Amino acid sequence: VFADPRTAEENSRLWSLLFVALAGVSGVAGFLRTFCFSVSGEALTARLRGMSFKAIMRQNIGWFDLEQNSTGALTTRLSHDASQVQGVSLCTSSMCINLLEIVLSYSKHLRYDAHNSLITLVHAIFILHVYMLFRLLVLVSELSLR
């Protein structure tokens, strides 16, 4: 069962270097993913701000006299609403990556150990339902405070 100490040392060096290389590749890929989603989010934010500004400029003069359409409110809306879209795009990309990782890991786990995989899947679904119920309760409590 035990290998020759010399072979074991050579194999351990090989595998440790492979794991270091894998960590490096994973770090670079994570950086590139974050960078690309940030660039696309910035482009989307700039486009939305431009579209919002054009829509504001097409309004009648009397529209600007309303208190909710004052200069401060409009500039705040231009900066705040569009930047929230960028945050949502980054969050969405992260959720997609996490969902892909979960699906791939469960598919591999199903291949090797179907019984334990199904038990784990049932527990994950239960935890997801509890989380959604908790979020619903938080939302209801926030709405009741208004």
Side-chain angles (χ1 to χ4, degrees):
V1 172
F2 296 107
D4 177 33
R6 187 176 202 169
T7 307
E9 184 178 341
E10 289 174 4
N11 285 341
S12 66
R13 284 184 183 160
L14 172 72
W15 284 105
S16 64
L17 289 175
L18 285 175
F19 276 111
V20 168
L22 180 66
V25 168
S26 178
V28 169
F31 169 76
L32 287 175
R33 180 187 71 220
T34 304
F35 176 76
C36 290
F37 275 111
S38 295
V39 167
S40 67
E42 285 289 334
L44 179 63
T45 301
R47 184 171 168 234
L48 285 174
R49 281 189 180 136
M51 291 170 58
S52 298
F53 185 72
K54 285 180 184 176
I56 289 172
M57 291 285 99
R58 284 193 298 259
Q59 299 299 323
N60 292 328
I61 297 281
W63 185 77
F64 295 99
D65 292 336
L66 300 173
E67 189 171 326
Q68 69 259 21
N69 299 329
S70 66
T71 305
L74 292 177
T75 54
T76 301
R77 195 178 314 157
L78 275 175
S79 67
H80 186 261
D81 292 349
S83 63
Q84 280 186 333
V85 171
Q86 183 182 7
V88 169
S89 70
L90 286 176
C91 184
T92 304
S93 69
S94 175
M95 286 189 328
C96 289
I97 298 286
N98 291 339
L99 183 63
L100 179 66
E101 289 173 350
I102 288 171
V103 167
L104 289 177
S105 66
Y106 270 118
S107 64
K108 186 173 183 176
H109 194 66
L110 267 171
R111 182 176 173 209
Y112 292 113
D113 190 7
H115 179 71
N116 287 334
S117 175
L118 292 176
I119 291 172
T120 307
L121 185 62
V122 167
H123 284 104
I125 291 172
F126 175 72
I127 290 170
L128 183 65
H129 278 92
V130 169
Y131 173 75
M132 294 299 237
L133 180 63
F134 176 73
R135 292 294 299 164
L136 180 67
L137 290 174
V138 168
L139 182 65
V140 166
S141 67
E142 285 176 357
L143 290 176
S144 68
L145 292 175
R146 289 183 186 178

